[in-house]
Amino acid sequence: MTKLSRVSAVILLAALVPLSCISQALAENPHVSAQDSEVATLHSSWRGCLQRHFGLQAVLTSRTFAAESAVKSCRGSEAAYLAALSTSPLLDDEDVSRVRPALIQRAKGWLLQKASATRPL
């Protein structure tokens, strides 16, 4: 990855992170477009999947393994969320593919820190 594409990925991730922080507000706001509401709903679904699978695995194994397992178990929800994001006029499939690794790392970090902090995904 070139330095320019890394910078682009960081900028794109910075644009995606606020989406995840306001997903609940988007879902409840009557003035939000159907597409934004769908993205918010899919993000909430992915986040819920991660929480459920992490919680189950963390009881049986290490928290690190539980985070990895949750991400793997929730690939379907993640794919639906990312596909909805790629329909935005501001993003395309290539943008979403480029930022996916950073989003996954953020999700793992969120899972590992969620017991001690309320940092949004």
Side-chain angles (χ1 to χ4, degrees):
M1 180 182 282
T2 67
K3 186 174 182 176
L4 181 58
S5 59
R6 282 187 204 141
V7 170
S8 299
V10 168
I11 291 170
L12 182 59
L13 182 60
L16 290 176
V17 169
L19 269 179
S20 64
C21 295
I22 61 171
S23 63
Q24 185 65 28
L26 284 175
E28 295 172 357
N29 188 337
H31 301 292
V32 173
S33 73
Q35 180 183 5
D36 290 341
S37 180
E38 178 186 6
V39 169
T41 301
L42 290 170
H43 177 265
S44 293
S45 175
W46 178 51
R47 184 175 161 169
C49 181
L50 290 171
Q51 287 178 318
R52 282 188 308 279
H53 285 276
F54 178 79
L56 292 171
Q57 286 294 322
V59 171
L60 303 172
T61 187
S62 75
R63 293 173 56 80
T64 303
F65 181 78
E68 290 286 337
S69 179
V71 168
K72 288 178 184 175
S73 297
C74 297
R75 282 204 177 128
S77 299
E78 171 203 334
Y81 169 57
L82 294 177
L85 281 178
S86 69
T87 63
S88 164
L90 302 175
L91 304 171
D92 62 20
D93 289 337
E94 185 178 314
D95 294 331
V96 172
S97 294
R98 199 173 351 185
V99 78
R100 183 185 177 273
L103 186 65
I104 296 303
Q105 287 297 10
R106 183 171 174 88
K108 289 176 187 176
W110 173 73
L111 289 168
L112 292 171
Q113 294 178 6
K114 78 180 188 88
S116 61
T118 56
R119 186 174 138 197
L121 170 60

